Amino acid sequence: MTTRHDPQLLGAYVLGALDEQEVREMDEHLASCPDCARELGELRDMEAFLGEVPPEAMLDGPPEGGDLLLQRTLRQVRSERGGVARRRQFALGAAAAVVAALVLGAGVFVGKATSPDVTALPTPTVAPDPAGTRLATFTDPLTKASMTVKVVPAAGWVRTNMAINGIPEGEKCRIFVVAKDGSRQEAGSWVVSKKGAAEGTNLDGSALVDPKDVKSVVVENFAGKKFVEVPVPA
């Protein structure tokens, strides 16, 4: 039997999805068909390229909104993985789909550009802080505790983010936002962990203090010992 010129069978041959008899027939055909031999070289190059794709890509597929043909192909790869009895069916279908996608210029395959003209995916942007956000830092000369605080204004209250270092493990602490009239509103509390004592702690909080009235942010333990107070600029 002479194997006919069939790109799909070539794909199955490259993927090792043919039986022994079919492999022998394909070997004989390749020896007498320069066109198939050339296509075989191109398919092996493609196989090497696909081998560079990380396993996570084959689990999750291309990015949301990516090429639909490639998404369908990868879903078929997942459904056929481990299905030895259906191996050839997958090779003929999925391999042909991948070949078609690459040959027809699908553009992007799991984040790899196949053309210099492909537009890069946009980089996610982070929204800027609202107007009136204030940032301050201070280290207490006695306790050696330090804190960097960000105060974000809201409608009659504030959100806070604190990066705190230098407080001993096991301390039960509170965070207060201090107003210009001396009143204080608690913005949060926590127990300093071993990791927090060694590497610092980052906390979010909120307090019912008018943004324009914030004077400082202070950290103290439940016994009233002050570790650090950061003045917040107007």
Side-chain angles (χ1 to χ4, degrees), residues 20-41:
E20 292 183 7
Q21 178 62 33
E22 289 170 325
V23 170
R24 285 194 295 270
E25 293 172 357
M26 181 59 70
D27 287 338
E28 294 175 2
H29 177 72
L30 288 169
S32 61
C33 181
D35 289 339
C36 279
R38 175 181 51 79
E39 291 181 18
L40 176 64

Side-chain angles (χ1 to χ4, degrees), residues 47-160:
E47 181 191 29
F49 167 77
L50 293 178
E52 297 175 1
V53 177
E56 294 81 5
M58 301 301 272
L59 290 173
D60 299 330
E64 187 67 27
D67 185 84
L68 295 179
L69 176 59
L70 293 174
Q71 289 177 331
R72 290 195 297 270
T73 300
L74 290 176
R75 282 197 296 270
Q76 187 170 354
V77 170
R78 292 194 295 269
S79 66
E80 295 289 347
R81 182 174 294 166
V84 177
R86 296 175 290 170
R87 213 170 147 203
R88 184 180 177 193
Q89 180 183 358
F90 155 66
L92 295 178
V98 173
V99 172
L102 293 175
V103 171
L104 296 176
V108 177
F109 181 80
V110 197
K112 288 183 178 286
T114 61
S115 167
D117 298 326
V118 173
T119 302
L121 294 175
T123 301
T125 56
V126 178
D129 291 326
T133 297
R134 289 174 282 173
L135 187 68
T137 187
F138 185 75
T139 299
D140 189 283
L142 298 177
T143 66
K144 307 303 180 184
S146 64
M147 177 167 60
T148 297
V149 61
K150 179 166 71 173
V151 178
V152 181
W157 55 285
V158 292
R159 299 184 181 92
T160 56

